[in-house]
Amino acid sequence: MYNARNGLKILVFGLCLWLGALISSQPLSAQANPIKKESVICLQADKAGQPTYSTAVVVLTGEQDCQVLTTYEAVQGASRLTAVAAGYNPVPAKILRFAPEANLALLEVPIPKLPAVRLGDAQLLKNDTPLVLTWGVPVLSGSVLTSFEMTSRKGTFLDLLNRPTGPVARVRMEQPTPDNTSGALVYAPSSGELVGISLSFEASVRNHFMRFMIPVFLASALSSNLNTSSDAVVNIRVLDGAQAPVAAGGTPPEEGLTTTQGVMIVVGALVLVLGIAYFVLRPKKKPIVPFSVVPLFPESMEAAFVSADGQLLPMDKDVITIGRGQDNDWVIKDASVSGRHARLRRPRHGSTWELEDLGSTNGTIVRGRRMGRSDNVRPGDIIQFGHHYQVKFMTRAESVMLNSDSRPIIHG
Protein backbone atom coordinates (compact mmCIF):
# COMPACT_ATOMS: atom_id res chain seq x y z
CA MET A 1 0.00 0.00 0.00
CA TYR A 2 2.80 2.39 0.82
CA ASN A 3 4.45 1.96 -2.57
CA ALA A 4 1.09 2.14 -4.40
CA ARG A 5 0.19 5.36 -2.58
CA ASN A 6 3.54 6.94 -3.44
CA GLY A 7 3.18 5.81 -7.03
CA LEU A 8 -0.26 7.47 -7.22
CA LYS A 9 1.20 10.70 -5.82
CA ILE A 10 3.98 10.67 -8.42
CA LEU A 11 1.42 10.04 -11.19
CA VAL A 12 -0.77 12.96 -10.03
CA PHE A 13 2.29 15.20 -9.74
CA GLY A 14 3.36 14.23 -13.28
CA LEU A 15 -0.13 15.00 -14.64
CA CYS A 16 -0.04 18.42 -12.95
CA LEU A 17 3.33 19.12 -14.55
CA TRP A 18 2.00 18.10 -17.96
CA LEU A 19 -1.12 20.28 -17.62
CA GLY A 20 1.00 23.20 -16.48
CA ALA A 21 3.33 22.74 -19.44
CA LEU A 22 0.37 22.52 -21.86
CA ILE A 23 -1.16 25.71 -20.46
CA SER A 24 2.17 27.56 -20.55
CA SER A 25 2.68 26.50 -24.17
CA GLN A 26 -0.43 28.43 -25.29
CA PRO A 27 0.05 31.91 -26.76
CA LEU A 28 0.34 34.64 -24.15
CA SER A 29 -2.55 36.48 -25.78
CA ALA A 30 -4.77 33.76 -24.29
CA GLN A 31 -3.43 34.55 -20.82
CA ALA A 32 -3.46 37.67 -18.66
CA ASN A 33 -0.76 39.48 -20.62
CA PRO A 34 -0.86 43.27 -21.14
CA ILE A 35 1.38 42.92 -24.22
CA LYS A 36 -0.80 41.90 -27.19
CA LYS A 37 0.56 39.33 -29.59
CA GLU A 38 -0.35 41.74 -32.41
CA SER A 39 2.31 44.14 -31.02
CA VAL A 40 5.07 41.54 -31.30
CA ILE A 41 7.10 40.84 -34.45
CA CYS A 42 9.25 37.77 -35.06
CA LEU A 43 12.32 38.50 -37.20
CA GLN A 44 14.41 36.23 -39.42
CA ALA A 45 17.85 37.60 -40.35
CA ASP A 46 19.87 35.80 -43.00
CA LYS A 47 23.51 36.04 -41.94
CA ALA A 48 26.25 34.38 -44.00
CA GLY A 49 23.71 31.96 -45.42
CA GLN A 50 22.37 30.96 -41.99
CA PRO A 51 19.02 32.17 -40.57
CA THR A 52 18.88 33.66 -37.07
CA TYR A 53 15.72 34.58 -35.18
CA SER A 54 14.88 37.41 -32.80
CA THR A 55 11.99 39.51 -31.55
CA ALA A 56 10.86 43.10 -32.15
CA VAL A 57 8.04 45.22 -30.73
CA VAL A 58 5.75 47.78 -32.38
CA VAL A 59 6.46 51.26 -30.98
CA LEU A 60 4.91 53.44 -33.73
CA THR A 61 1.99 52.59 -36.02
CA GLY A 62 0.63 54.18 -39.20
CA GLU A 63 -1.81 53.82 -42.08
CA GLN A 64 0.75 52.20 -44.41
CA ASP A 65 3.33 50.59 -42.15
CA CYS A 66 4.62 50.40 -38.60
CA GLN A 67 7.95 50.92 -36.89
CA VAL A 68 9.38 48.26 -34.59
CA LEU A 69 12.21 48.30 -32.06
CA THR A 70 14.78 45.55 -31.63
CA THR A 71 18.45 45.14 -30.78
CA TYR A 72 21.18 46.03 -33.26
CA GLU A 73 22.84 42.65 -32.64
CA ALA A 74 19.70 41.00 -34.07
CA VAL A 75 20.13 42.67 -37.48
CA GLN A 76 23.87 43.33 -37.67
CA GLY A 77 25.49 41.72 -40.70
CA ALA A 78 22.25 40.41 -42.19
CA SER A 79 21.80 40.21 -45.97
CA ARG A 80 18.00 40.08 -45.67
CA LEU A 81 15.41 40.72 -42.95
CA THR A 82 11.98 39.06 -42.88
CA ALA A 83 9.22 40.04 -40.44
CA VAL A 84 6.19 38.03 -39.36
CA ALA A 85 3.26 39.55 -37.45
CA ALA A 86 0.38 37.58 -35.95
CA GLY A 87 -2.10 36.73 -38.71
CA TYR A 88 0.07 38.10 -41.56
CA ASN A 89 2.26 36.53 -44.21
CA PRO A 90 6.04 37.14 -44.00
CA VAL A 91 7.14 40.54 -45.36
CA PRO A 92 10.56 42.18 -45.88
CA ALA A 93 11.72 44.55 -43.10
CA LYS A 94 13.92 47.61 -43.57
CA ILE A 95 16.27 49.34 -41.12
CA LEU A 96 15.40 53.03 -40.64
CA ARG A 97 17.95 54.06 -38.03
CA PHE A 98 20.30 52.28 -35.65
CA ALA A 99 22.67 53.01 -32.77
CA PRO A 100 25.39 50.33 -32.71
CA GLU A 101 27.01 51.32 -29.39
CA ALA A 102 23.63 51.47 -27.62
CA ASN A 103 22.64 48.20 -29.39
CA LEU A 104 19.30 49.48 -30.70
CA ALA A 105 17.69 49.42 -34.15
CA LEU A 106 14.43 50.89 -35.48
CA LEU A 107 12.88 48.96 -38.39
CA GLU A 108 10.04 49.64 -40.83
CA VAL A 109 7.58 46.80 -41.46
CA PRO A 110 5.01 47.25 -44.29
CA ILE A 111 2.00 46.18 -42.21
CA PRO A 112 -0.47 48.94 -41.23
CA LYS A 113 -2.24 49.70 -37.97
CA LEU A 114 -0.52 47.22 -35.67
CA PRO A 115 -1.07 48.20 -32.01
CA ALA A 116 1.89 49.95 -30.41
CA VAL A 117 2.94 49.22 -26.82
CA ARG A 118 3.09 51.75 -23.99
CA LEU A 119 6.65 52.73 -23.07
CA GLY A 120 7.80 53.00 -19.46
CA ASP A 121 10.85 54.40 -17.71
CA ALA A 122 13.39 51.91 -16.33
CA GLN A 123 14.87 54.70 -14.19
CA LEU A 124 11.74 54.56 -12.01
CA LEU A 125 12.12 50.83 -11.29
CA LYS A 126 13.15 49.82 -7.80
CA ASN A 127 15.26 46.84 -6.86
CA ASP A 128 13.32 43.54 -7.02
CA THR A 129 10.48 45.06 -9.08
CA PRO A 130 8.75 42.11 -10.86
CA LEU A 131 9.38 42.03 -14.62
CA VAL A 132 8.42 39.64 -17.44
CA LEU A 133 10.59 38.69 -20.42
CA THR A 134 8.47 37.84 -23.49
CA TRP A 135 9.67 36.76 -26.94
CA GLY A 136 8.49 35.08 -30.12
CA VAL A 137 9.33 31.42 -30.71
CA PRO A 138 9.56 30.92 -34.50
CA VAL A 139 7.42 28.34 -36.30
CA LEU A 140 9.29 27.18 -39.41
CA SER A 141 8.55 25.34 -42.60
CA GLY A 142 11.99 24.10 -43.52
CA SER A 143 14.17 27.17 -43.07
CA VAL A 144 11.29 29.61 -43.74
CA LEU A 145 9.71 31.58 -40.89
CA THR A 146 5.92 31.27 -41.28
CA SER A 147 4.49 32.19 -37.86
CA PHE A 148 5.43 32.29 -34.19
CA GLU A 149 4.22 31.52 -30.70
CA MET A 150 4.92 33.57 -27.60
CA THR A 151 6.62 32.47 -24.40
CA SER A 152 7.85 34.24 -21.30
CA ARG A 153 9.92 34.06 -18.13
CA LYS A 154 9.49 35.96 -14.88
CA GLY A 155 12.28 37.98 -13.34
CA THR A 156 13.08 40.97 -11.14
CA PHE A 157 14.89 44.24 -11.74
CA LEU A 158 18.39 44.27 -10.30
CA ASP A 159 20.08 47.58 -11.20
CA LEU A 160 21.12 50.05 -13.89
CA LEU A 161 24.75 50.12 -15.04
CA ASN A 162 25.98 53.37 -16.58
CA ARG A 163 27.88 53.31 -19.88
CA PRO A 164 29.17 56.16 -22.06
CA THR A 165 26.42 55.39 -24.60
CA GLY A 166 23.69 55.18 -21.99
CA PRO A 167 22.64 52.84 -19.19
CA VAL A 168 22.00 49.11 -19.43
CA ALA A 169 19.89 47.26 -16.85
CA ARG A 170 20.32 43.83 -15.31
CA VAL A 171 17.35 41.49 -14.82
CA ARG A 172 17.55 38.47 -12.51
CA MET A 173 15.48 35.59 -13.97
CA GLU A 174 13.53 33.12 -11.82
CA GLN A 175 14.17 30.27 -14.29
CA PRO A 176 16.92 29.47 -16.77
CA THR A 177 16.30 31.44 -19.95
CA PRO A 178 17.09 30.23 -23.49
CA ASP A 179 20.03 31.71 -25.37
CA ASN A 180 18.13 33.44 -28.18
CA THR A 181 16.34 36.30 -26.40
CA SER A 182 17.69 39.16 -28.49
CA GLY A 183 14.98 41.81 -28.84
CA ALA A 184 12.71 40.15 -26.27
CA LEU A 185 10.24 42.50 -24.58
CA VAL A 186 10.80 43.32 -20.91
CA TYR A 187 7.67 44.77 -19.33
CA ALA A 188 6.39 45.57 -15.84
CA PRO A 189 3.19 43.55 -15.25
CA SER A 190 2.01 46.06 -12.62
CA SER A 191 1.75 48.86 -15.21
CA GLY A 192 1.72 46.94 -18.49
CA GLU A 193 4.51 49.21 -19.77
CA LEU A 194 7.47 48.13 -21.85
CA VAL A 195 10.62 49.16 -19.95
CA GLY A 196 13.39 47.42 -21.88
CA ILE A 197 14.61 45.29 -24.78
CA SER A 198 16.57 42.17 -23.82
CA LEU A 199 19.97 41.31 -25.21
CA SER A 200 20.95 37.78 -26.12
CA PHE A 201 22.74 35.26 -23.92
CA GLU A 202 26.00 36.03 -25.76
CA ALA A 203 25.67 39.81 -25.28
CA SER A 204 24.64 39.54 -21.64
CA VAL A 205 26.61 37.86 -18.87
CA ARG A 206 26.50 34.28 -20.29
CA ASN A 207 24.38 33.32 -17.32
CA HIS A 208 21.03 31.58 -17.92
CA PHE A 209 19.60 33.27 -14.81
CA MET A 210 20.57 36.82 -15.87
CA ARG A 211 19.84 39.13 -18.80
CA PHE A 212 20.97 42.60 -19.76
CA MET A 213 18.27 44.88 -21.15
CA ILE A 214 18.46 48.20 -23.00
CA PRO A 215 16.03 50.72 -21.41
CA VAL A 216 13.46 51.78 -24.02
CA PHE A 217 13.80 55.46 -23.18
CA LEU A 218 17.10 55.33 -25.10
CA ALA A 219 15.02 54.70 -28.24
CA SER A 220 13.90 58.35 -28.19
CA ALA A 221 17.21 59.08 -29.90
CA LEU A 222 16.02 57.00 -32.88
CA SER A 223 12.69 58.84 -33.26
CA SER A 224 11.37 62.09 -31.80
CA ASN A 225 7.87 60.55 -31.82
CA LEU A 226 8.74 58.10 -29.06
CA ASN A 227 7.95 59.00 -25.46
CA THR A 228 10.98 59.33 -23.24
CA SER A 229 11.96 60.04 -19.68
CA SER A 230 12.15 63.78 -19.04
CA ASP A 231 15.42 63.48 -17.15
CA ALA A 232 17.15 60.99 -19.47
CA VAL A 233 20.29 62.59 -20.88
CA VAL A 234 21.88 60.27 -23.41
CA ASN A 235 24.52 60.89 -26.06
CA ILE A 236 23.94 58.21 -28.70
CA ARG A 237 25.47 58.07 -32.17
CA VAL A 238 22.53 57.40 -34.50
CA LEU A 239 23.10 56.19 -38.08
CA ASP A 240 20.72 56.17 -41.01
CA GLY A 241 19.40 52.82 -42.19
CA ALA A 242 21.17 53.26 -45.53
CA GLN A 243 24.45 52.83 -43.65
CA ALA A 244 23.43 49.49 -42.16
CA PRO A 245 25.06 46.32 -43.51
CA VAL A 246 21.63 45.00 -44.54
CA ALA A 247 20.29 44.83 -48.09
CA ALA A 248 16.98 46.70 -48.38
CA GLY A 249 13.94 44.62 -49.25
CA GLY A 250 14.64 41.08 -50.46
CA THR A 251 12.43 38.37 -51.85
CA PRO A 252 9.64 37.40 -49.44
CA PRO A 253 9.32 33.71 -48.66
CA GLU A 254 6.67 31.66 -50.41
CA GLU A 255 3.17 31.99 -49.00
CA GLY A 256 0.92 29.19 -47.89
CA LEU A 257 3.62 27.17 -46.11
CA THR A 258 2.26 26.29 -42.65
CA THR A 259 2.87 23.69 -39.96
CA THR A 260 0.04 21.64 -38.50
CA GLN A 261 -1.09 23.34 -35.31
CA GLY A 262 -1.94 20.09 -33.58
CA VAL A 263 1.54 18.68 -34.17
CA MET A 264 3.09 21.88 -32.84
CA ILE A 265 1.03 21.76 -29.63
CA VAL A 266 1.92 18.11 -28.99
CA VAL A 267 5.61 18.62 -29.73
CA GLY A 268 5.72 21.85 -27.70
CA ALA A 269 3.95 20.22 -24.74
CA LEU A 270 6.32 17.24 -24.85
CA VAL A 271 9.40 19.46 -24.94
CA LEU A 272 8.10 21.58 -22.06
CA VAL A 273 7.20 18.51 -19.97
CA LEU A 274 10.68 17.04 -20.49
CA GLY A 275 12.28 20.41 -19.75
CA ILE A 276 10.29 20.89 -16.53
CA ALA A 277 11.01 17.32 -15.45
CA TYR A 278 14.72 17.95 -15.99
CA PHE A 279 14.77 21.12 -13.92
CA VAL A 280 12.56 19.55 -11.19
CA LEU A 281 14.60 16.37 -10.85
CA ARG A 282 18.12 17.72 -11.26
CA PRO A 283 20.04 18.82 -8.13
CA LYS A 284 19.15 22.38 -7.27
CA LYS A 285 21.95 24.89 -7.43
CA LYS A 286 21.41 28.48 -6.37
CA PRO A 287 22.41 30.83 -9.20
CA ILE A 288 25.31 33.16 -8.60
CA VAL A 289 24.68 36.78 -9.53
CA PRO A 290 27.97 38.35 -10.72
CA PHE A 291 29.52 40.62 -8.08
CA SER A 292 26.67 39.94 -5.64
CA VAL A 293 29.16 38.48 -3.11
CA VAL A 294 32.33 40.48 -2.62
CA PRO A 295 35.22 40.42 -0.15
CA LEU A 296 35.33 42.82 2.77
CA PHE A 297 38.41 44.92 2.01
CA PRO A 298 40.98 45.52 4.75
CA GLU A 299 41.00 49.06 6.15
CA SER A 300 44.35 49.72 4.48
CA MET A 301 42.96 48.92 1.02
CA GLU A 302 41.01 51.84 -0.51
CA ALA A 303 40.27 50.04 -3.79
CA ALA A 304 40.86 46.64 -5.38
CA PHE A 305 39.93 44.39 -8.29
CA VAL A 306 37.36 41.65 -7.59
CA SER A 307 36.33 38.76 -9.85
CA ALA A 308 32.66 38.11 -10.65
CA ASP A 309 32.57 35.15 -8.22
CA GLY A 310 33.88 37.24 -5.32
CA GLN A 311 37.63 36.62 -5.32
CA LEU A 312 40.00 39.44 -4.34
CA LEU A 313 42.69 39.60 -7.02
CA PRO A 314 46.36 40.19 -6.07
CA MET A 315 47.56 43.80 -6.47
CA ASP A 316 51.01 43.62 -4.87
CA LYS A 317 52.88 44.75 -8.01
CA ASP A 318 53.14 48.01 -9.90
CA VAL A 319 52.67 46.12 -13.18
CA ILE A 320 50.19 43.22 -13.31
CA THR A 321 50.10 40.83 -16.26
CA ILE A 322 46.86 39.03 -17.14
CA GLY A 323 46.31 35.99 -19.33
CA ARG A 324 45.89 32.25 -19.68
CA GLY A 325 49.60 31.47 -19.33
CA GLN A 326 50.91 30.27 -15.96
CA ASP A 327 53.57 33.01 -15.86
CA ASN A 328 50.93 35.77 -15.49
CA ASP A 329 50.07 37.51 -12.22
CA TRP A 330 46.37 36.86 -12.86
CA VAL A 331 46.01 33.43 -14.45
CA ILE A 332 42.62 33.11 -16.21
CA LYS A 333 41.76 29.55 -17.25
CA ASP A 334 39.46 30.46 -20.12
CA ALA A 335 39.94 29.44 -23.75
CA SER A 336 38.82 32.86 -25.03
CA VAL A 337 41.60 34.60 -23.05
CA SER A 338 45.00 34.89 -24.76
CA GLY A 339 48.19 33.52 -23.23
CA ARG A 340 49.41 37.08 -22.52
CA HIS A 341 46.17 39.06 -22.76
CA ALA A 342 46.53 42.43 -20.99
CA ARG A 343 48.59 44.48 -18.54
CA LEU A 344 47.63 46.81 -15.66
CA ARG A 345 49.87 49.63 -14.38
CA ARG A 346 49.54 51.13 -10.94
CA PRO A 347 48.87 54.89 -11.02
CA ARG A 348 51.51 57.32 -9.80
CA HIS A 349 48.82 59.66 -8.58
CA GLY A 350 45.10 59.14 -7.89
CA SER A 351 43.12 55.91 -8.25
CA THR A 352 43.01 55.50 -12.05
CA TRP A 353 44.90 52.44 -13.34
CA GLU A 354 46.15 52.15 -16.91
CA LEU A 355 44.92 49.04 -18.75
CA GLU A 356 46.73 47.89 -21.89
CA ASP A 357 45.52 45.18 -24.28
CA LEU A 358 48.52 43.18 -25.51
CA GLY A 359 47.05 42.32 -28.91
CA SER A 360 44.68 39.67 -27.55
CA THR A 361 42.62 37.59 -29.97
CA ASN A 362 39.19 38.21 -28.46
CA GLY A 363 39.79 41.66 -27.00
CA THR A 364 39.14 43.42 -23.71
CA ILE A 365 35.85 45.15 -22.89
CA VAL A 366 35.73 48.17 -20.56
CA ARG A 367 32.46 49.83 -19.55
CA GLY A 368 30.54 47.75 -22.09
CA ARG A 369 32.75 48.62 -25.10
CA ARG A 370 35.72 46.87 -26.65
CA MET A 371 38.77 49.00 -25.89
CA GLY A 372 41.60 49.89 -28.25
CA ARG A 373 45.25 49.63 -27.31
CA SER A 374 44.86 51.15 -23.83
CA ASP A 375 42.33 52.79 -21.54
CA ASN A 376 42.07 54.18 -18.03
CA VAL A 377 40.20 52.17 -15.40
CA ARG A 378 38.60 53.81 -12.41
CA PRO A 379 36.54 52.49 -9.45
CA GLY A 380 33.16 51.20 -10.57
CA ASP A 381 34.37 49.95 -13.95
CA ILE A 382 33.74 46.35 -15.06
CA ILE A 383 36.42 44.77 -17.28
CA GLN A 384 35.86 41.66 -19.38
CA PHE A 385 38.80 39.65 -20.74
CA GLY A 386 37.81 37.54 -23.75
CA HIS A 387 34.22 36.29 -23.91
CA HIS A 388 33.51 35.44 -20.29
CA TYR A 389 35.89 36.48 -17.49
CA GLN A 390 34.91 39.70 -15.68
CA VAL A 391 36.50 41.74 -12.90
CA LYS A 392 35.28 44.91 -11.20
CA PHE A 393 37.37 47.75 -9.78
CA MET A 394 35.67 48.44 -6.44
CA THR A 395 36.24 50.80 -3.52
CA ARG A 396 36.41 49.73 0.09
CA ALA A 397 33.27 51.81 0.77
CA GLU A 398 31.36 49.69 -1.78
CA SER A 399 32.64 46.45 -0.25
CA VAL A 400 31.57 47.63 3.22
CA MET A 401 28.11 48.56 1.91
CA LEU A 402 27.62 45.20 0.15
CA ASN A 403 28.69 43.35 3.31
CA SER A 404 26.57 45.43 5.68
CA ASP A 405 23.46 43.23 5.40
CA SER A 406 22.95 39.47 5.73
CA ARG A 407 24.92 38.51 2.61
CA PRO A 408 27.82 36.06 2.93
CA ILE A 409 31.16 37.72 3.53
CA ILE A 410 34.39 36.53 1.98
CA HIS A 411 37.34 38.05 3.82
CA GLY A 412 40.16 39.10 1.60
Side-chain angles (χ1 to χ4, degrees):
M1 286 296 294
Y2 177 77
N3 290 335
R5 189 181 298 113
N6 281 326
L8 181 60
K9 289 181 180 178
I10 292 173
L11 178 61
V12 172
F13 179 69
L15 287 174
C16 291
L17 284 178
W18 183 84
L19 288 174
L22 185 62
I23 292 173
S24 65
S25 68
Q26 300 303 310
L28 290 182
S29 57
Q31 303 177 17
N33 178 16
I35 303 295
K36 298 179 180 179
K37 186 176 181 180
E38 292 78 11
S39 301
V40 179
I41 300 291
C42 195
L43 293 174
Q44 176 174 319
D46 295 332
K47 301 182 179 182
Q50 295 295 324
T52 62
Y53 303 96
S54 57
T55 306
V57 58
V58 179
V59 290
L60 293 170
T61 188
E63 296 295 327
Q64 302 296 326
D65 49 41
C66 64
Q67 295 181 15
V68 301
L69 185 67
T70 188
T71 58
Y72 177 62
E73 68 174 357
V75 299
Q76 183 182 13
S79 59
R80 183 175 67 177
L81 293 171
T82 303
V84 171
Y88 290 87
N89 291 321
V91 294
K94 175 185 176 182
I95 295 181
L96 294 177
R97 285 171 292 278
F98 64 100
E101 292 89 354
N103 213 338
L104 283 176
L106 189 68
L107 278 59
E108 180 182 87
V109 175
I111 301 177
K113 299 181 180 179
L114 293 177
V117 298
R118 290 193 300 125
L119 304 185
D121 187 356
Q123 294 184 122
L124 303 180
L125 297 177
K126 297 181 180 179
N127 188 262
D128 292 330
T129 298
L131 297 175
V132 176
L133 197 74
T134 294
W135 65 96
V137 179
V139 177
L140 306 176
S141 179
S143 60
V144 179
L145 174 65
T146 58
S147 62
F148 68 94
E149 299 297 336
M150 289 174 63
T151 189
S152 66
R153 291 286 191 275
K154 294 181 180 179
T156 54
F157 176 76
L158 187 59
D159 56 15
L160 274 172
L161 304 176
N162 290 320
R163 303 183 304 172
T165 54
V168 63
R170 293 193 296 174
V171 181
R172 182 192 297 113
M173 307 307 300
E174 292 183 0
Q175 297 175 269
T177 307
D179 296 350
N180 190 16
T181 54
S182 186
L185 293 63
V186 183
Y187 68 87
S190 59
S191 63
E193 294 178 332
L194 181 76
V195 294
I197 300 292
S198 173
L199 295 177
S200 66
F201 174 75
E202 291 291 336
S204 293
V205 291
R206 296 184 66 83
N207 184 327
H208 288 286
F209 286 88
M210 289 283 293
R211 278 297 178 274
F212 281 160
M213 76 170 186
I214 306 298
V216 293
F217 65 73
L218 297 186
S220 62
L222 301 178
S223 174
S224 58
N225 294 325
L226 292 175
N227 295 328
T228 180
S229 170
S230 59
D231 59 347
V233 179
V234 181
N235 180 23
I236 297 178
R237 180 172 66 101
V238 178
L239 301 177
D240 186 81
Q243 300 172 269
V246 178
T251 303
E254 296 181 21
E255 299 179 3
L257 297 175
T258 59
T259 304
T260 304
Q261 186 67 29
V263 174
M264 290 305 303
I265 291 178
V266 172
V267 172
L270 181 61
V271 170
L272 286 172
V273 167
L274 293 176
I276 291 175
Y278 168 75
F279 288 115
V280 168
L281 297 176
R282 72 170 184 169
K284 296 297 186 295
K285 183 178 180 181
K286 188 175 180 181
I288 298 176
V289 178
F291 307 110
S292 61
V293 178
V294 301
L296 180 61
F297 295 1
E299 292 184 0
S300 60
M301 184 176 292
E302 292 298 325
F305 290 92
V306 180
S307 65
D309 60 356
Q311 299 299 315
L312 188 63
L313 298 172
M315 297 174 56
D316 53 351
K317 294 183 178 181
D318 292 334
V319 179
I320 298 172
T321 59
I322 304 145
R324 199 174 66 252
Q326 293 296 323
D327 58 338
N328 290 287
D329 299 309
W330 296 355
V331 178
I332 303 175
K333 297 180 180 179
D334 188 301
S336 68
V337 175
S338 298
R340 184 59 65 92
H341 194 102
R343 180 165 50 212
L344 273 167
R345 293 183 184 275
R346 185 184 300 275
R348 295 182 180 179
H349 304 286
S351 59
T352 301
W353 284 62
E354 179 187 357
L355 176 63
E356 180 183 2
D357 188 284
L358 301 178
S360 63
T361 302
N362 295 307
T364 303
I365 296 174
V366 179
R367 296 181 293 277
R369 299 177 63 182
R370 182 162 177 165
M371 60 174 279
R373 181 67 177 176
S374 64
D375 202 345
N376 290 326
V377 181
R378 55 188 64 87
D381 287 348
I382 293 179
I383 309 169
Q384 179 176 306
F385 302 104
H387 297 321
H388 317 292
Y389 192 84
Q390 292 184 330
V391 302
K392 185 175 183 180
F393 194 15
M394 305 178 69
T395 63
R396 183 178 187 276
E398 186 176 2
S399 80
V400 171
M401 179 190 69
L402 292 174
N403 285 294
S404 62
D405 53 16
S406 59
R407 304 179 191 184
I409 298 177
I410 300 177
H411 291 280

